[in-house]
Amino acid sequence: MNSSSSERVVLSPDGCAVRVVDPDRVAAVCERMPAADDLADTADVFGLLSDPNRLRLLVALLDGELCVCDLAAVTGQSESAVSHALRLLRAHRIVVARRAGRMAYYRLDDPHVRMLLDLALAHTEHTEAIHPERDGAD
């Protein structure tokens, strides 16, 4: 096997040899890589957004705050299912509640969440996804 002189082999933390073609670029990427806890938290946010029912709730909240009853009507879910999802979203600071007497009105808690939703929706609107896992293809 031919290897260029710019390649080098380094040992990874588990002791395996890893080929590095561009060590400067690898070092730069490693330097800007978020901490493991931050990556786990980010993965949690995407996990919350990955459920179609929770996503439906969040899309409904793009137009402003709604109560549990109205969210249930808009999304076709039971009030109980909506409340359960909102508790989870609130715990992760995706939504926030405002109390008015016995009613709680929910809204998106952070403009970053709105941006993620807007970008994801725009992406799906202009692309045609191929879903082998849904089509049963191998």
Side-chain angles (χ1 to χ4, degrees):
M1 164 161 64
N2 294 335
S3 69
S4 76
S5 60
S6 65
E7 292 180 13
R8 57 179 199 194
V9 175
V10 295
L11 289 179
S12 68
D14 63 2
C16 294
V18 177
R19 183 173 64 131
V20 175
V21 175
D22 188 343
D24 293 335
R25 186 148 186 182
V26 168
V29 170
C30 287
E31 201 172 297
R32 71 171 182 79
M33 186 65 65
D37 287 347
D38 292 339
L39 288 172
D41 290 345
T42 302
D44 287 345
V45 169
F46 280 105
L48 290 167
L49 299 178
S50 71
D51 176 76
N53 288 324
R54 285 192 298 262
L55 189 56
R56 201 172 278 116
L57 291 171
L58 295 173
V59 169
L61 293 173
L62 284 172
D63 289 334
E65 67 179 20
L66 291 168
C67 68
V68 172
C69 301
D70 291 343
L71 283 166
V74 166
T75 62
Q77 300 177 62
S78 70
E79 289 182 27
S80 176
V82 168
S83 291
H84 177 75
L86 289 170
R87 269 193 302 278
L88 184 61
L89 293 168
R90 195 174 64 234
H92 288 273
R93 297 184 4 207
I94 304 294
V95 300
V96 65
R98 175 183 64 83
R99 294 253 174 225
R102 294 183 50 156
M103 298 294 291
Y105 293 88
Y106 291 85
R107 71 179 190 282
L108 298 177
D109 189 24
D110 188 326
H112 295 109
V113 174
R114 173 179 290 284
M115 188 183 329
L116 279 173
L117 291 169
D118 287 340
L119 287 171
L121 291 169
H123 173 73
T124 56
E125 288 171 359
H126 82 269
T127 59
E128 187 172 330
I130 299 170
H131 297 283
E133 71 281 2
R134 292 185 197 166
D135 299 335
D138 294 320

